[in-house]
Amino acid sequence: MIQIQNVSKVYKTKERIVTGVDNVSLDINTGEIFGIVGYSGAGKSSLIRCLNLLEKPTSGTILVDGLNLMKLRGNNLRQARLKIGMIFQHFYLISQKTVYENIAFALRAAKTPANKINARVTDLLEMVGLSDKRDVYPAQLSGGQKQRVGIARALANNPSVLLCDEATSALDPNTTLSILRLLKKINKELQITIVLITHEMNVVKEICDRMAIMQDGKVIEEGQVYDIFSDPQEELTKEFISSVVSFDVPSMILSKCTGKLVKVMFKGDVAGDGIISDTVQQFTIQGNFLHGSIEYIQERPLGTFLMELKGEDDEIEKAIAYMSSRAAQVEVIDNGN
């Protein structure tokens, strides 16, 4: 669907040369929701703007449905862009126009026949849940409602791709969740490929199928969201995940631990199995729970527990081996004792 091949974007100023995107290659599949994660300055906004040539890459190739956007000019490029909708963090609605007129503006710009505009806008307003806001102005809308107008406008010309540039960053958590659910609904019902950039792992966890982590203009890790959450490879990825799956235990509790401290992670269906209780029953050990949680990512459970094991060393080693054999990932933590 979308092939990003060795794309770089270099910005030149009088003082220096800045590389915003550094030789990035990614394949984004038809119909999936793909998240691109990174802190400010990582290059994610530059990359997403390269996907519809709002920023022309310095080098590399952008293919959308097999069409090489880098080779298009003038009207051909404008026609290709109609199939790539985009929503932004700050909405960019026209304050002097009503909700209806903001959406109709995108249709008129694409030279949609006048007799088809009303029906199309009506359908879009129903899709985003704003039929009752048809004749109000942006100043009368909440942030979430403004973003829904932005989504409707981006969908006006039946795009096959929807680019979301920090689309929920200006919204409160409840409104963010409602917008993410709307995007997921649009993805499923319209089979639109969504590319979503964010610095919030909760957003990725909620709706994305696959993801990439960016740092200093490069992609440092990519894969299925579940796989990255359950087995992150890069330190930055681990840092992002820790913002969602907190694993902090008060130092006062840790200082009282005299046994072996282990982190146990269960993936998939085994997250709900009684592996830990079976372990304690089968081996001569004591197990004290310090922390635990089960997250659901792509509707699959990921269980993480921190526990203290007490007993003879050989029994503890056997217990760890047993848990590992039951599809658990066990890591011994240094607690300073």
Side-chain angles (χ1 to χ4, degrees):
M1 170 45 137
I2 301 174
Q3 294 174 284
I4 304 167
Q5 300 173 344
N6 306 113
V7 166
S8 293
K9 176 61 182 178
V10 177
Y11 301 92
K12 297 180 180 179
T13 67
K14 291 181 179 179
E15 293 79 19
R16 59 179 181 150
I17 295 175
V18 177
T19 301
V21 180
D22 191 355
N23 196 36
V24 167
S25 294
L26 287 170
D27 287 341
I28 298 170
N29 300 321
T30 300
E32 75 175 345
I33 305 179
F34 192 94
I36 300 175
V37 182
Y39 289 123
S40 275
K44 57 189 189 299
S45 287
S46 293
L47 178 61
I48 202 171
R49 289 169 69 86
C50 284
L51 296 189
N52 60 0
L53 265 63
L54 284 179
E55 298 270 8
K56 185 175 180 180
T58 306
S59 60
T61 302
I62 303 286
L63 298 171
V64 178
D65 280 337
L67 189 64
N68 186 346
L69 299 189
M70 298 286 286
K71 293 184 177 181
L72 301 181
R73 298 290 184 274
N75 188 58
N76 289 334
L77 179 57
R78 286 191 290 273
Q79 290 301 311
R81 280 177 172 156
L82 289 177
K83 293 302 178 183
I84 307 174
M86 191 163 188
I87 59 175
F88 305 89
Q89 176 181 356
H90 298 298
F91 321 128
Y92 298 120
L93 303 181
I94 304 170
S95 59
Q96 297 85 4
K97 293 183 180 292
T98 64
V99 166
Y100 176 95
E101 291 166 343
N102 265 276
I103 300 169
F105 180 82
L107 292 162
R108 293 191 182 102
K111 296 182 169 51
T112 302
N115 63 348
K116 293 185 178 180
I117 289 177
N118 183 66
R120 180 61 179 156
V121 175
T122 300
D123 288 345
L124 288 165
L125 286 171
E126 183 177 353
M127 180 181 297
V128 300
L130 289 180
S131 295
D132 60 334
K133 303 296 182 182
R134 175 189 181 101
D135 297 318
V136 306
Y137 290 86
Q140 300 169 271
L141 301 175
S142 67
Q145 289 169 336
K146 290 176 182 176
Q147 194 56 283
R148 286 172 182 266
V149 178
I151 292 170
R153 181 182 58 191
L155 296 176
N157 294 298
N158 294 303
S160 56
V161 176
L162 182 61
L163 307 180
C164 305
D165 188 357
E166 296 279 10
T168 60
S169 294
L171 306 175
D172 64 75
N174 287 337
T175 306
T176 291
L177 187 58
S178 72
I179 293 297
L180 294 179
R181 286 173 175 167
L182 174 60
L183 290 174
K184 196 166 187 176
K185 173 187 173 185
I186 289 167
N187 168 255
K188 287 187 178 298
E189 292 184 1
L190 303 182
Q191 291 298 298
I192 290 179
T193 303
I194 296 178
V195 183
L196 185 152
I197 73 164
T198 183
H199 60 275
E200 300 171 295
M201 286 297 278
N202 265 321
V203 169
V204 174
K205 171 178 168 285
E206 184 66 30
I207 66 167
C208 291
D209 303 303
R210 293 193 304 128
M211 65 182 292
I213 304 284
M214 288 192 70
Q215 183 178 32
D216 298 328
K218 298 177 182 291
V219 170
I220 62 170
E221 189 164 357
E222 66 171 297
Q224 293 286 335
V225 170
Y226 189 92
D227 293 340
I228 287 179
F229 265 80
S230 62
D231 190 21
Q233 300 299 306
E234 300 293 330
E235 287 304 314
L236 180 62
T237 310
K238 294 174 185 178
E239 184 179 319
F240 271 115
I241 290 171
S242 69
S243 68
V244 177
V245 184
S246 176
F247 213 71
D248 294 331
V249 178
S251 57
M252 182 182 69
I253 294 177
L254 293 179
S255 66
K256 294 179 180 179
C257 294
T258 58
K260 184 161 287 188
L261 196 62
V262 297
K263 181 173 77 172
V264 186
M265 181 177 287
F266 302 109
K267 302 178 185 180
D269 295 338
V270 299
D273 291 352
I275 295 175
I276 292 178
S277 59
D278 291 348
T279 303
V280 174
Q281 290 176 13
Q282 290 196 36
F283 301 94
T284 311
I285 59 169
Q286 289 181 321
N288 299 321
F289 279 103
L290 302 177
H291 177 79
S293 67
I294 296 180
E295 299 283 342
Y296 286 86
I297 302 164
Q298 298 174 318
E299 300 181 353
R300 296 172 61 196
L302 178 65
T304 310
F305 301 90
L306 186 68
M307 59 188 300
E308 179 189 21
L309 299 180
K310 290 183 177 180
E312 297 294 331
D313 287 345
D314 63 333
E315 285 292 294
I316 291 176
E317 293 304 319
K318 289 177 184 177
I320 290 174
Y322 173 75
M323 286 189 288
S324 298
S325 72
R326 293 278 301 271
Q329 180 180 316
V330 184
E331 177 185 351
V332 178
I333 307 294
D334 181 12
N335 64 343
N337 292 323

